[in-house]
Every structure is written in structure tokens, then in C-alpha cells.
Amino acid sequence: MEKIIVEGGKRLEGELIVSGAKNAVLPLMAACILTEGVNTFTNVPDLADVRTMSEMLEILGARVEYDNGDLSIDTKKLNKWVAPYELVKTMRASVLVLGPLTARFGRARVSLPGGCAIGERPIDQHLKGLRILGAEIEIEEGYVGTVAPKLQGGVIPFDVSTVTGTENLMLSSVLSKGETILLNAACEPEVTELGQVLNEMGADIKGIGTDIITINGVSSLSPIKDHEVMPDRIEAGTFMIASALTKGDILVKNCRFENMGALIGKLIEAGADITRENGGIRVKCGNEIKSIDITTLPYPGFPTDMQAQMMTLMSIADGLSIITETIFPQRFLHAGELRRMGADIKLVGNSAVVRGVPHVSGAPTMASDLRASASLVLAGIAAEGKTDISRVYHLDRGYDKLDRKLESVGARIWREKE
Ligand code: EPU
């Protein structure tokens, strides 16, 4: 196992290029199950989660090749419908194969994802939707089994806004008979990208990007060619906070300003200077960071995947900040680690009360999940002294070479064997 070491206190300056989005490419890979042929993608990030989804597709019978951002998925020989526990337990997003396998084979058997460091994360809405489309569902031996010789359209009202739930039901219904309407659908840009790609494959989906999505079933889909995966807005946001934290000046390239309104607004409120520039976003910060309040919400609200990184920024801000987590109310494992670095954070229900301190100091820390790892790397960059972050495999699930990218703009950061 590896750990990351950071020697803090360096001002970051320069340009960083954002990789393709993890949460966009995973559902796109699952969508390939609905086609028979060779699908190709570009700008695919080099991540453990992409490798896990590739392995999953290979177990199902697909041929997957990855080379320096180019991904090809040949589904001609895909002929299995069981997603095993060994893979699902390492990546919850594996559940995205449930819908397309049911649609393609009329049956599927997918290991039920268990608990998770960031919260309970049930999949009841995915299963409710599949039942509405006519699937029979059984949970046995830790697996969800579906049987549905032919899925029929229906109206699916989601009780909560769910990203992978909306994606799974889009993937289930594109080949079903008749019309499906998803109510209270998630509007995240990654859901929009999936809808657009499915339409390019030949699907008939309307209302993409809104909370009412209408899908008219078609008889087949064609493979997608050379689709460029959208940039990762969470990686971009992490770089923006790195700049603000170090009073730096970073141009974050290959990111979409229009997808990042909530974060940009909050960083401006906190005193950062943000400009749109040459297909990127420049973040400068000459002043003290001001404390601000944050509440995570479904898109276009403030993303839960930026909550931990923002908590790091608020830890050294001037004043008191209240961070309220409404998506995963227990997603606060990073708070305890930040406290070990000298941050003043109290948890009250689903809120964190953060009283800014003049500086945090380096300490040995442990990552608990993907975004928590990022918040510790950021804290290490801002800290006085040396920070060790162990269990760095969490980081490698969803950030493409974060340490090397940060090093290229001046951070003192490296890896060592644990
Ligand atoms: N929920 C239910 N029932 C369901 C589904 C969801 O109650 O059937 C609840 C969840 O427990 C949560 C809320 O609905 O309280 C929203 O969860 P959602 O389903 O939207 O989360 P997800 O689809 O499992 C995706 C991302 C997460 C991101 C969330 C929220 C992927 C692969 N994962 O998860 O990304 O935090 O949406 O935006 O897209 C990450 O990248 O670090 C990450 C955790």
C-alpha cells in the first residue's frame, strides 16, 4: 500500500488540466451493455474505478481495451448477466449494470452493494423503478435478481433525487416497450451526458437535463464512436480550492464554467477572485479567506462531492462557518482527521460548525473515502509541516494523478510505500 506525503506551505501557481469525469464515464460504460459492437471513448480518466468497471464488463463477456485515455468496449460477445460480489463490494457504481443487463437479457443477478463510509446508500429507488417497468425482483444470498422477459414503459416517481438511480432507470427503459416518464429525475451534468450519448446511440429521450425525463422505447441501439468524456467538475473544483487555500494563482483548464455555478459562487463569497479564461477558470486569492455557510443539495445546488474539500478551506477561514450535508447526512469522517491537524470542527447532527484557525499543522492522517482523501491532501498543502495520508487507494479510485498534477504547480507532494 502507498501513502502520500505533503510538505505544506507552498503557494501554488500555474496551469492544471482536468481529466475526464469518473461519474460520467462509469454510466457510459454500463450503457455499452445495451449495444452489440465496438464502442469507443476518448478523454477517459486513468482511475481504479474505471478499471473495476472494465473488469466487470469483461466478466460479462465484453472485450475492453484502455490506452492513454482511449477506451474501447466491444460488447458483441457479452453473454453473461451476473455481477459478482467481489467487484460490487469494491465499487458501488457497479450497480449501474443492473438496468442494462435486465433490458438486454430479460434477467440479471447483481450483488447488492453494502454499507459505505459516506452513509447508508440504499438502492430502493432503483428497484422500485424496475418493478414499475415490469421486472420481478428477488433478493437472495446478497444478490438482487431481476426477471423481465420484456420491460414495459411506466411512470416512475423518485422519492429522492438519485443520480445513479436516474441513470439505471434511463438505461433500463431505452429498450422497453412504450413510454417511460421519470419524475423528480436527477439533473446532474453526468446524467445529462448519459442521456445525450444514449440518444446518439439511437434512443429517444426528451427532457434531458430537467427533472422530468421522457423515454420512448426503441428496438435497438448502435455502438457509440469516439465520444469525448466530459471534464470532471469535482477534480476542477478541488484544484480551485487548492489555489484559494494557498493564496495561489491557478488556471484550471478543460472545465465547464456553466456546470460549476454553486462552487464558483461560494468561492467568490469566500473572497477568491475567479475569472473565465480560454476554456478554463482562473482562481486567484490575495486576501484572507472569509467564512461562509454551505448546504449540499442536488444539482445545481452545492455538490456533496465538494463538501469535504470546502471544509478544509473553511478550517483556515476568518470566522465561523456552518456546513450542512443534506445528501449523505453522515459524510463527515474527514472532520475527525482535520481536527487532528488542528482544525476546530464540531459536528451537530448533519452540520459541521467550523471555527477558522490561523493555520493547520501537518499530522499523520488516514483517508476514509475518495473526497475525504482529497480534503486531507488539500489540508496538507495548506498546513505548516508534514502530513502523511495513508489508505491513498481511496484517492486513486477517482482522481487521475492528483499528486503529480499538484506537484506540477508547486506543491511538495510525493508517495511512499506504507
Ligand atoms: N437514495 C435512496 N435510495 C436510492 C438511491 C439513493 O434513498 O435508491 C438516497 C441516498 O442514500 C442519498 C441520496 O438518495 O441520500 C442521493 O444519492 P444518489 O443516489 O444520488 O447517489 P449515488 O447515485 O449513489 C452519485 C455519485 C456520488 C455522489 C452522489 C450525489 C456516481 C457513480 N456516484 O452516487 O459520487 O456523491 O451521486 O451526487 O455517480 C464520489 O464521486 O465521490 C461519489 C460518492
Side-chain angles (χ1 to χ4, degrees), residues 22-24 26-27 49 91-96 116 118-128 158-167 186 188 190-191 232-234 297-299 303-306 325-329 331 369-372 397-399:
K22 167 180 87 78
N23 290 346
L26 296 175
D49 275 9
M91 186 183 75
R92 298 182 63 83
S94 316
V95 77
L96 283 166
C116 169
I118 68 175
E120 210 186 327
R121 303 183 78 183
I123 58 158
D124 57 301
Q125 299 301 306
H126 304 227
L127 302 185
K128 173 175 101 171
F158 289 110
D159 297 347
V160 289
S161 174
T162 159
V163 173
T164 51
T166 303
E167 291 165 348
E188 269 67 5
E190 296 76 16
V191 180
D232 195 310
R233 63 195 168 101
I234 306 302
L297 287 169
Y299 187 84
T304 173
D305 291 341
M306 289 304 309
E325 175 57 71
T326 73
I327 309 292
F328 298 114
R331 191 178 200 175
D369 75 78
L370 171 56
R371 308 303 171 190
R397 287 191 43 200
Y399 282 96

Side-chain angles (χ1 to χ4, degrees), residues 145-200:
T146 59
V147 180
K150 185 69 194 161
L151 291 170
Q152 302 275 340
V155 177
I156 303 177
F158 289 110
D159 297 347
V160 289
S161 174
T162 159
V163 173
T164 51
T166 303
E167 291 165 348
N168 228 342
L169 271 303
M170 279 164 82
L171 292 164
S172 308
S173 57
V174 277
L175 295 181
S176 66
K177 199 158 174 283
E179 184 183 75
T180 299
I181 304 177
L182 307 182
L183 300 175
N184 191 24
C187 305
E188 269 67 5
E190 296 76 16
V191 180
T192 300
E193 170 134 310
L194 174 65
Q196 286 163 346
V197 168
L198 286 169
N199 273 353
E200 274 181 58

